[in-house]
Amino acid sequence: MANITAAMVKELRERTGSAMMDCKKALTETNGDMEAAIDLMRKNGLAKADKKSDRAAAEGLLLVRQNGTKALILEVNCETDFVTKNEDFLKFANDAADIALNNDVNTVEELAAQPLNGSTVDEVRKGLIAKIGENMNVRRLTVLNATGTIGGYVHGGRIAAIVEVQGGDEELAKDVAMHIAAANPVCIDASEVPAELLEKEREIYSAQAAESGKPADIVEKMVEGRIRKYLEEVTLEGQAFIKDPDMSVGKLLKSKSAKVTAFVRFELGEGVEIETIDFATEVMAQAGLNK
């Protein structure tokens, strides 16, 4: 049996980023063979990563990347807000976003197979799960290939928007992206509002107006007024511009001879189902005290 020295443990720790006791255990199991220990730790790490892969990951980071003709939003998730400040997690997320932009990647599946640090993006992700101890996912990637001007904005890593504007300039495009992030429009203008959504709102307003007891023609005018107000609230062009509430986004665009042709908005973790468990139950479960 080889003598496992502190220097050997230190070297393995530096090369793998793993805990000291895990390094010592791997060296002991491989009789001091450094390369074999690294291989063993990688295998064990991937096994641990697979076990964590079904845990909900709704925290994380949204990243925006753009160049002259292309913009993208990438969502990389983890389990806790604490890990979003981890340098390794941040580096991985930013590397993945750069790779997606610079290699014409359009899907999460394509991104997973891209080379990174002598491996692939997905293998680096799994290694990071083993090292940090939380599930992590490259969850969503959306790409906007534009012929007009691209604008992008990300707020605190939790809300992100990208937009294509025909006409105008980069400052206008960024301002509109910022507005989209803040105001969350459903679509660009009234013509794009889904018919079923509009009909649902009309039914609600009609029922509310009918209770007023006013004549039918007055009720109809009341409903139409509410519909116009609704369209102002949910359409990008109808909304009051966040930087100048006295002007709608539509009027702003018209003053710049510009038109929004496409936009995408993400909120971090939207749609992820989180299993809730109270603290006492969690402690009991970890202590094996469940009845």
Side-chain angles (χ1 to χ4, degrees):
M1 178 67 68
N3 180 34
I4 309 302
T5 66
M8 294 168 65
V9 174
K10 181 175 181 292
E11 180 184 347
L12 184 56
R13 189 179 184 187
E14 289 174 349
R15 292 179 65 177
T16 63
S18 298
M20 181 177 66
M21 293 307 296
D22 289 338
C23 293
K24 185 175 181 180
K25 181 180 179 182
L27 285 165
T28 300
E29 291 183 17
T30 58
N31 200 28
D33 187 322
M34 187 66 66
E35 298 304 321
I38 291 173
D39 289 342
L40 178 63
M41 294 185 78
R42 284 192 65 201
K43 291 175 183 176
N44 289 341
L46 293 179
K48 290 178 183 177
D50 288 339
K51 289 180 181 179
K52 292 182 175 71
S53 64
D54 61 347
R55 298 201 320 218
E59 288 293 336
L61 195 63
L62 291 173
L63 304 102
V64 168
R65 293 290 186 273
Q66 64 186 88
N67 58 26
T69 59
K70 178 179 179 179
L72 63 83
I73 307 175
L74 178 69
E75 180 173 357
V76 183
N77 294 130
C78 56
E79 294 180 48
T80 65
D81 181 61
F82 178 77
V83 168
T84 63
K85 301 172 181 63
N86 178 278
E87 289 185 5
D88 291 329
F89 175 81
L90 289 170
K91 185 177 187 310
F92 170 73
N94 280 280
D95 285 347
D98 291 339
I99 288 169
L101 181 69
N102 296 327
N103 293 276
D104 292 325
V105 172
N106 291 291
T107 68
V108 167
E109 291 75 19
E110 290 176 9
L111 180 57
Q114 290 292 312
L116 175 61
N117 298 338
S119 185
T120 66
V121 169
D122 197 51
E123 287 171 347
V124 171
R125 177 188 68 87
K126 289 181 178 179
L128 202 55
I129 293 174
K131 179 179 179 180
I132 294 178
E134 282 195 12
N135 187 25
M136 297 176 195
N137 290 315
V138 179
R139 181 174 174 237
R140 291 188 292 174
L141 171 65
T142 188
V143 177
L144 195 58
N145 290 299
T147 57
T149 303
I150 287 285
Y153 178 78
V154 58
H155 181 75
R158 303 187 70 86
I159 301 175
I162 51 178
V163 63
E164 177 184 10
V165 180
Q166 297 289 344
D169 54 21
E170 291 183 3
E171 182 179 0
L172 174 65
K174 183 176 181 180
D175 280 348
V176 173
M178 185 185 300
H179 173 93
I180 291 167
N184 192 18
V186 172
C187 52
I188 296 172
D189 57 33
S191 68
E192 294 184 353
V193 177
E196 61 273 15
L197 185 60
L198 198 58
E199 185 58 31
K200 180 181 177 181
E201 294 299 318
R202 189 180 296 276
E203 288 178 5
I204 293 172
Y205 299 151
S206 296
Q208 292 173 344
E211 292 179 359
S212 69
K214 291 183 170 59
D217 59 331
I218 301 298
V219 167
E220 184 177 350
K221 289 180 180 179
M222 290 171 63
V223 171
E224 291 306 315
R226 291 290 299 275
I227 289 293
R228 283 195 298 273
K229 180 66 175 176
Y230 172 74
L231 291 174
E232 288 176 1
E233 293 172 351
V234 302
T235 63
L236 174 62
E237 291 188 358
Q239 290 176 337
F241 181 44
I242 57 168
K243 283 191 170 184
D244 183 2
D246 293 330
M247 174 185 289
S248 70
V249 175
K251 288 182 178 178
L252 170 68
L253 292 166
K254 188 174 182 180
S255 71
K256 305 287 186 179
S257 301
K259 172 75 176 176
V260 169
T261 50
F263 74 85
V264 181
R265 181 184 185 274
F266 278 4
E267 283 193 35
L268 182 67
E270 58 190 346
V272 177
E273 293 185 6
I274 303 297
E275 180 182 2
T276 58
I277 183 168
D278 66 83
F279 182 70
T281 303
E282 185 174 348
V283 171
M284 289 179 68
Q286 291 180 359
L289 299 176
N290 282 355
K291 293 181 180 181

